[in-house]
Amino acid sequence: MSRYSNIEFILDLDVQEGIELFGKAFDKTVEGRIWQKWLNFYVHTDPKKRLPYDTYYQKHVGKSTAKKSKSNRTPEQIIAESKRIRNNDRERS
């Protein structure tokens, strides 16, 4: 998506379609970064220890790129905490 200067067409999509499109774009970005990392790994690794790209990719895809929050809080608790944080931020300003 970064190669396009105008992404108006995405803003006109249904919200769910837009989210899916951004998700796919993110996945492709991650895949490109893993490829670059593997190229560097391949060049600088002993030939006996080199991993095929597919193996290297699967090891990295299994790792989460973002930490998922596992919260047992109710929506009311989350709203109360966000209000508390907002009030604290206002007091500092």
Side-chain angles (χ1 to χ4, degrees):
M1 307 243 358
S2 61
R3 70 177 117 174
Y4 301 107
S5 60
N6 185 356
I7 60 169
E8 272 305 310
F9 68 96
I10 294 173
L11 299 176
D12 293 335
L13 291 174
D14 178 56
V15 172
Q16 188 61 37
E17 288 177 307
I19 290 171
E20 289 173 8
L21 191 57
F22 275 111
K24 287 180 183 178
F26 178 77
D27 290 344
K28 288 295 181 181
T29 300
V30 169
E31 186 177 336
R33 289 181 181 172
I34 292 172
W35 172 256
Q36 291 297 320
K37 191 174 175 183
W38 178 78
L39 289 174
N40 190 29
F41 168 81
Y42 188 84
V43 171
H44 293 93
T45 304
D46 179 31
K48 294 177 184 177
K49 295 182 181 180
R50 288 183 182 157
L51 294 174
Y53 175 70
D54 293 338
T55 305
Y56 189 82
Y57 179 78
Q58 289 303 318
K59 285 178 72 175
H60 283 75
V61 170
K63 295 179 182 177
S64 177
T65 55
K67 301 231 181 215
K68 294 183 180 179
S69 174
K70 293 182 180 180
S71 176
N72 295 329
R73 298 180 295 171
T74 65
E76 291 79 16
Q77 291 171 323
I78 295 171
I79 291 170
E81 183 177 359
S82 66
K83 287 180 181 178
R84 182 187 58 76
I85 292 169
R86 184 178 58 191
N87 289 337
N88 287 343
D89 189 47
R90 285 183 181 165
E91 291 173 4
R92 290 181 191 169
S93 298

